Amino acid sequence: MKNKIFKKLFFVSVLLLSSTYSNAELVVIVHPGNSLEAITKDKLKRIYLGKNKEFPNGLIIAALDQEKESEEKEEFYKKVVGKSLSQVSAYWSRLIFTGKGVPPRVLANDKEIKSWVASHPESIAYINSENADDSIKIIFDVK
Amino acid sequence: MNKKCKALSIVCSLGLLVSLPVQAADFPVKINGFATAGFVTGDMDADFISGTDVFSESATFGADNTIGIQVSSDMNDQVSFTGQLLAKGVLDGYNLEAHWAFIDYHPRHDFSVRAGRLVLPIVMSSEYVDVGYAYPWIRPPMEVYSGIPVTSYSGIDILYTLNIGDANLVFQPYVGSAPPNASDSFEMEVQLGIGLNTSLQFEYGSLRAHVMKVNDAVGSSPEFGFGMDVQVVVLGADLEIANVVFTSEYMAKEFDLSGIPGASTIEGDAWYVTLGYRMGKLLPHITFASADSDVDQVSGLSLIQASLGELLGDSAVVGSLGLGLDELTLLQTDPLSAINDPAIASKLAQGLPAEQVAQLPAMVSVAEMQLPPAPLSYKQDSITLGLRYDFLPRTALKFEYQEIEPQEESWGLFLQEPADDKVSLFSFAIDVTF
């Protein structure tokens, strides 16, 4: 029900403002089988900087990232990691070119990310909440 | 039957279609790269060393130019390979080398052993010193980064990460040897070196400590070679709190020398402090840096004078050398020019003990240039004002104004004596990474 209203509102706003801008928030998702129910911002930050590599259940974390340098991506890094995208690129360049780290795997869009997460128990990702469904589990709202 | 067969073949070909990209994704070859194009100008009238690069006073383009291509692939969950080719602008063109080439065995996510060609982690940015995009400066502070003239080595290192709450403590012990690298500012051959790099990474950045010990290294200058034992300690901090960037390092080094007349030990330290303030895509920064090393060295000129004084005091020997009066006068008033005169040198060779004759070129070097040369020993201060502008994704523009002042009698990191007390440099660079 709530979802329907959101969709309608979204549709109307698109029509009225002829803009694709959406207020929907970003959510952090994992495989539904992951025992993790919630995560802290600090933990997420450490995961996305490659400093935390293990889920509580012992699985080695495989973080996913958005390929495009979109507003959403910028927002995620600003709010969760506390860095701009260029700071994040500089950070990873120090690790990549010394063989000390590999940045998150990038996928083209929310749809691809969602289906990857749904089939990979070790994955973690962020997508627009509008694109979330039962195939994945939400563990964090990016605010 | 026929239907079944068709269905099966469709399933099979579908399966094949699906499996092809999946298989490719299972063994991905990752390709990354970085590049820098730079320009430097100023009132320098001498070549200078920065890091392990030599900048020519005559060339404004080139020395900062760098291209690196890295290829890496996972053989399986525990073994991967990484190779990095680096092309760098040097004084006489470009130099291409395998900067990194190693096999990485990582049985656990917090432990890996790497073997092959690696890069020494001497200073904080040593391992990525050619990746300009990774740090705010155009060139990391030369007073500290030029201190040890070795970059790559062949050997083994271990990376072990200890998780302590929200912080990581990373240990990186290593052992290896390094052949002399002709493209570096100074040729140094290391038979066996060991070291330990430790860093604490936490929310606001990292703190690090590094120690290295090298025995029986061989340094060479065009005139002669010499031996040295090297000990280095480096401490550093790299912090960012509320848009304020603070990076600082301190290096203490000791070279025990053998084979340089009149010199036995170089002791020195160097430091820098960089402060920056991040304003969106702009990062203005200022760096204060200083290096000071002392050589317990008798000057080459006095060594020559002492040898000749002994010789010239003995009139029988002087007579047997067949030196003319003007030659004798020159030897007493300007021994350096006299020794460089081939006629006089050959006459001296008959009268001086063989080992002293063998040392004459070294003595002349000691007297003519600063020896041991930069980058082993130098005294220099500098101030750098810089601006980094991240104007597009994975692309940074950098501007820098730098004032370098060699201290006391030293030429600093200049390879010839600069005419002025203070040298100003203006640099511009563009850094990219992918």
Side-chain angles (χ1 to χ4, degrees):
Chain A
M1 184 63 190
K2 208 175 168 190
N3 208 10
K4 251 184 189 164
I5 293 170
F6 259 114
K7 268 187 184 159
K8 221 174 218 171
L9 272 174
F10 176 66
F11 190 65
V12 169
S13 68
V14 168
L15 275 182
L16 288 179
L17 306 168
S18 38
S19 147
T20 51
Y21 179 74
S22 130
N23 267 324
E25 60 187 17
L26 293 169
V27 288
V28 174
I29 59 169
V30 292
H31 188 269
N34 196 319
S35 54
L36 208 61
E37 296 299 332
I39 195 164
T40 63
K41 194 195 269 186
D42 284 347
K43 268 259 150 54
L44 272 176
K45 175 181 174 179
R46 285 171 50 73
I47 287 172
Y48 270 85
L49 292 175
K51 290 176 174 173
N52 198 335
K53 295 178 177 166
E54 213 173 347
F55 278 125
N57 65 9
L59 267 183
I60 302 304
I61 298 171
L64 299 177
D65 211 339
Q66 303 274 351
E67 189 175 12
K68 290 192 204 85
E69 307 235 326
S70 58
E71 273 178 36
E72 281 89 354
K73 186 171 181 174
E74 185 110 42
E75 183 192 341
F76 176 79
Y77 277 98
K78 202 85 225 169
K79 286 184 174 170
V80 173
V81 182
K83 289 180 190 291
S84 70
L85 292 183
S86 56
Q87 278 177 275
V88 172
S89 300
Y91 171 83
W92 281 111
S93 70
R94 297 177 177 196
L95 297 174
I96 293 168
F97 297 115
T98 57
K100 286 182 173 175
V102 180
R105 176 195 292 266
V106 292
L107 290 174
N109 51 45
D110 281 4
K111 201 178 149 215
E112 279 193 21
I113 287 175
K114 194 174 59 181
S115 64
W116 182 281
V117 172
S119 57
H120 290 79
E122 74 282 9
S123 57
I124 185 167
Y126 62 93
I127 58 171
N128 200 309
S129 60
E130 281 180 348
N131 296 324
D133 58 28
D134 292 344
S135 68
I136 44 84
K137 179 157 80 176
I138 296 174
I139 58 167
F140 187 82
D141 290 329
V142 178
K143 278 169 196 152
Chain B
M1 182 69 186
N2 202 9
K3 235 180 191 173
K4 227 180 197 174
C5 230
K6 216 174 184 178
L8 201 70
S9 79
I10 287 172
V11 169
C12 279
S13 45
L14 270 179
L16 199 73
L17 275 178
V18 172
S19 79
L20 273 176
V22 169
Q23 208 168 13
D26 278 351
F27 300 96
V29 173
K30 285 180 290 256
I31 298 176
N32 295 94
F34 53 88
T36 297
F39 166 88
V40 53
T41 184
D43 60 3
M44 71 260 203
D45 49 13
D47 301 341
F48 68 97
I49 293 170
S50 182
T52 55
D53 302 331
V54 180
F55 288 72
S56 165
E57 47 92 14
S58 59
T60 48
F61 292 93
D64 283 319
N65 293 358
T66 304
I67 293 173
I69 297 287
Q70 177 168 303
V71 177
S72 58
S73 185
D74 294 330
M75 272 70 252
N76 50 57
D77 281 351
Q78 299 188 358
V79 180
S80 60
F81 162 80
T82 299
Q84 189 186 106
L85 283 177
L86 185 67
K88 280 177 77 162
V90 291
L91 273 187
D92 48 1
Y94 263 82
N95 176 59
L96 181 69
E97 63 162 15
H99 197 52
W100 295 84
F102 62 87
I103 291 169
D104 183 341
Y105 169 60
H106 39 90
R108 294 163 50 94
H109 72 85
D110 57 0
F111 179 86
S112 78
V113 183
R114 308 189 296 178
R117 190 163 167 82
L118 302 162
V119 176
L120 284 172
I122 296 170
V123 207
M124 195 184 290
S125 307
S126 287
E127 289 173 287
Y128 50 85
V129 75
D130 297 298
V131 189
Y133 189 82
Y135 44 75
W137 319 279
I138 290 179
R139 284 163 235 110
M142 56 168 89
E143 285 78 2
V144 173
Y145 279 75
S146 309
I148 304 294
V150 189
T151 48
S152 296
Y153 71 100
S154 297
I156 296 175
D157 78 354
I158 288 172
L159 288 164
Y160 176 61
T161 306
L162 200 62
N163 211 206
I164 308 167
D166 278 347
N168 286 357
L169 187 58
V170 183
F171 296 98
Q172 184 183 13
Y174 62 89
V175 58
S177 61
N181 188 347
S183 73
D184 286 349
S185 57
F186 177 83
E187 286 191 38
M188 183 166 152
E189 182 179 355
V190 176
Q191 302 284 0
L192 186 71
I194 57 168
L196 174 65
N197 178 23
T198 309
S199 66
L200 178 70
Q201 297 161 359
F202 59 108
E203 193 186 346
Y204 297 111
S206 64
L207 302 174
R208 87 185 272 282
H210 171 254
V211 288
M212 183 178 82
K213 194 165 166 49
V214 169
N215 286 335
D216 301 325
V218 178
S220 29
S221 73
E223 288 80 18
F224 66 107
F226 53 93
M228 53 189 158
D229 293 344
V230 184
Q231 292 179 70
V232 190
V233 176
V234 183
L235 302 173
D238 183 28
L239 306 171
E240 180 159 353
I241 302 169
N243 291 341
V244 176
V245 176
F246 171 86
T247 308
S248 181
E249 287 189 273
Y250 169 80
M251 171 190 279
K253 64 177 185 180
E254 189 181 320
F255 294 87
D256 293 317
L257 306 166
S258 50
I260 297 185
S264 62
T265 310
I266 302 169
E267 275 184 339
D269 56 12
W271 58 266
Y272 72 84
V273 175
T274 295
L275 275 169
Y277 189 79
R278 207 179 286 283
M279 298 181 291
K281 293 178 173 179
L282 292 175
L283 175 61
H285 54 89
I286 184 165
T287 300
F288 302 91
S290 177
D292 187 356
S293 37
D294 276 313
V295 191
D296 56 347
Q297 178 184 18
V298 186
S299 90
L301 195 60
S302 62
L303 277 173
I304 294 171
Q305 275 168 334
S307 304
L308 292 174
E310 223 170 273
L311 183 74
L312 299 177
D314 189 334
S315 57
V317 175
V318 174
S320 71
L321 291 177
L323 289 163
L325 191 62
D326 50 342
E327 291 174 326
L328 266 173
T329 312
L330 190 63
L331 270 168
Q332 278 156 338
T333 54
D334 187 1
L336 202 58
S337 307
I339 280 172
N340 277 327
D341 182 325
I344 300 179
S346 71
K347 286 175 185 168
L348 282 177
Q350 296 164 29
L352 283 171
E355 66 268 25
Q356 278 192 17
V357 174
Q359 285 197 344
L360 273 179
M363 290 185 195
V364 172
S365 299
V366 173
E368 277 187 336
M369 55 187 278
Q370 55 172 9
L371 227 162
L376 296 185
S377 172
Y378 50 92
K379 297 184 185 195
Q380 173 178 305
D381 292 349
S382 74
I383 296 179
T384 308
L385 283 169
L387 178 68
R388 174 184 171 129
Y389 173 36
D390 283 285
F391 85 122
L392 284 170
R394 291 174 293 278
T395 308
L397 288 179
K398 293 172 181 173
F399 306 87
E400 265 175 30
Y401 173 73
Q402 186 167 42
E403 284 191 349
I404 305 168
E405 266 184 279
Q407 299 294 306
E408 299 171 32
E409 296 304 304
S410 172
W411 300 346
L413 281 160
F414 292 93
L415 295 175
Q416 300 90 34
E417 190 170 10
D420 300 316
D421 292 345
K422 194 186 275 184
V423 179
S424 306
L425 295 182
F426 182 80
S427 308
F428 165 79
I430 179 162
D431 294 306
V432 297
T433 181
F434 65 89

